[in-house]
Amino acid sequence: MKALSHNIEDYLKAIYLLTRAEAASTSDIASQLDVSPASVTGMLKKLDDAGLVRYESYKGVTLTHAGRKVALEIIRHHRLIETYLAEALGYGWDQVHEEAERLEHHISEDFEDRIAKVLGDPMYDPHGDPIPSKEGKMPPDVSDRLSDADVNDTVIVRRVASHDSELLRRLSEQGITLGTQMKVVLRNENEKILTVKVGRAPIELKFSWCENIFIQRS
């Protein structure tokens, strides 16, 4: 396959990240990429003609095998770069996403392989997102959200599914990062606040934040 434009690669990555068990909608893709629905519709038709997606009006879009392969390659680039920035260059987890967005389209396969080797072939990036293998295999992921945890649950943070720099900074300031163990001590349904303890310190977290924090119950 000939080299694809960065725009096409961005579309395929977005569709992969939006599709789990069902098709991605035009409106979701437009929101993810910050473009108009009309622009999305035009691009999806082109991608369908190229054999990279299957698109039906009003039914959404799914990736073909070829489209999924491209998407996983770009996601692998992105997450390896994030990991390299964090582990080798000292970037915070709130700083790596934007840098990786700029670099993900520009690294060669040799550079990708060298980064992976230097890092010891990591399976997860600084946010806990799984890094696709060279062969396109995804490591196991966690699906339990902190927002669904019950009072007295003891949990370990395994992934934060957000690139909101402010949220990531606030969590770090509260001592919450990957691997942090905490106990749920209070659910305030009226104010939409979850109170957890990290060590002896109580911390109040908005339900909207907890939706993005994925945990393992210990």
Side-chain angles (χ1 to χ4, degrees):
M1 180 184 294
K2 67 178 182 179
L4 301 175
S5 71
H6 298 172
N7 192 33
I8 287 175
E9 291 177 343
D10 284 340
Y11 266 87
L12 296 175
K13 182 178 74 168
I15 293 167
Y16 179 88
L17 294 174
L18 288 167
T19 31
R20 291 297 181 233
E22 54 190 38
S25 70
T26 300
S27 59
D28 284 343
I29 297 169
S31 176
Q32 180 91 348
L33 296 175
D34 195 23
V35 296
S36 71
S39 296
V40 172
T41 299
M43 177 59 83
L44 293 182
K45 290 177 179 177
K46 292 179 183 178
L47 295 177
D48 188 280
D49 290 342
L52 295 168
V53 305
R54 295 186 184 90
Y55 171 64
E56 292 184 65
S57 298
Y58 308 110
K59 291 187 178 180
V61 61
T62 56
L63 295 171
T64 63
H65 176 76
R68 186 174 186 274
K69 183 178 180 181
V70 174
L72 285 170
E73 181 68 16
I74 295 302
I75 290 169
R76 176 172 168 80
H77 286 185
H78 183 99
R79 294 178 179 174
L80 279 173
I81 291 167
E82 286 192 335
T83 308
Y84 184 78
L85 290 171
E87 295 192 9
L89 301 182
Y91 280 67
W93 70 341
D94 58 306
Q95 301 172 310
V96 295
H97 176 70
E98 293 300 326
E99 291 288 353
E101 282 286 290
R102 286 187 280 269
L103 295 170
E104 64 187 22
H105 301 289
H106 301 287
I107 68 172
S108 67
E109 299 308 298
D110 181 60
F111 191 73
E112 170 202 318
D113 292 342
R114 286 172 184 250
I115 288 178
K117 184 176 181 179
V118 165
L119 295 172
D121 290 316
M123 297 175 67
Y124 300 93
D125 74 7
H127 308 109
D129 288 318
I131 300 174
S133 71
K134 186 76 173 174
E135 298 73 33
K137 303 289 186 182
M138 272 292 193
D141 200 2
V142 290
S143 58
D144 289 342
R145 298 175 189 267
L146 180 58
S147 54
D148 296 325
D150 297 318
V151 172
N152 292 324
D153 278 353
T154 298
V155 304
I156 299 171
V157 177
R158 292 301 185 201
R159 179 162 66 94
V160 179
S162 175
H163 299 123
D164 181 340
S165 296
E166 179 64 20
L167 168 59
L168 294 169
R169 280 196 296 270
R170 292 286 295 276
L171 291 177
S172 294
E173 289 167 1
Q174 302 278 17
I176 297 174
T177 187
L178 298 187
T180 298
Q181 180 172 293
M182 50 195 180
K183 183 175 182 178
V184 179
V185 295
L186 181 66
R187 290 184 65 96
N188 187 326
E189 301 291 344
N190 292 326
E191 296 185 16
K192 306 300 182 186
I193 295 290
L194 192 76
T195 303
V196 301
K197 274 191 174 182
V198 178
R200 296 183 178 181
I203 299 169
E204 292 186 344
L205 301 172
K206 299 176 184 177
F207 278 7
S208 59
W209 293 3
C210 297
E211 283 286 325
N212 292 311
I213 300 172
F214 289 79
I215 49 94
Q216 172 189 336
R217 289 176 169 84
S218 64

